[in-house]
């Protein structure tokens, strides 16, 4: 599932997750590295074909990644 938003963000989820915004953001997370709770949100968004849910799930993924950096 791929969604583009008015603020320039693009989220593409097909098992793996890619988030882009112009030349400033390019994040790719392989499916095996996505935590189960985040993956379930991404799967639900794809099942519902909801770009709003997909963006929220993508935000959860980035929050999780950001949290992992803080704990090192």
């Amino acid at each position: 599932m791929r969604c583009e938003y008015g603020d320039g963000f693009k989220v593409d989820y097909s098992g793996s997750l890619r988030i882009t915004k112009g030349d400033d953001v390019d994040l790719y997370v392989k499916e095996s590295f996505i935590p189960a709770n985040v993956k379930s949100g991404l799967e639900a968004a794809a099942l519902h074909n909801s770009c709003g849910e997909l963006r929220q799930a993508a935000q959860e993924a980035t929050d999780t990644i950001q949290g992992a950096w803080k704990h090192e």
Side-chain angles (χ1 to χ4, degrees):
M1 175 175 190
R2 181 183 173 110
C3 296
E4 296 184 29
Y5 305 92
D7 61 357
F9 273 99
K10 296 177 186 172
V11 178
D12 188 1
Y13 176 70
S14 59
S16 295
L17 175 66
R18 185 166 194 168
I19 302 168
T20 58
K21 183 175 183 183
D23 293 332
D24 297 328
V25 176
D26 191 359
L27 174 70
Y28 177 80
V29 183
K30 288 175 64 171
E31 183 175 9
S32 59
F33 289 99
I34 300 172
N37 63 322
V38 173
K39 186 173 176 95
S40 66
L42 292 165
E43 292 290 331
L47 181 66
H48 299 143
N49 198 32
S50 170
C51 285
E53 287 181 37
L54 185 62
R55 184 170 183 145
Q56 184 176 359
Q59 181 67 48
E60 263 188 64
T62 58
D63 289 349
T64 300
I65 293 165
Q66 192 173 33
W69 285 106
K70 291 179 180 178
H71 294 312
E72 287 189 10

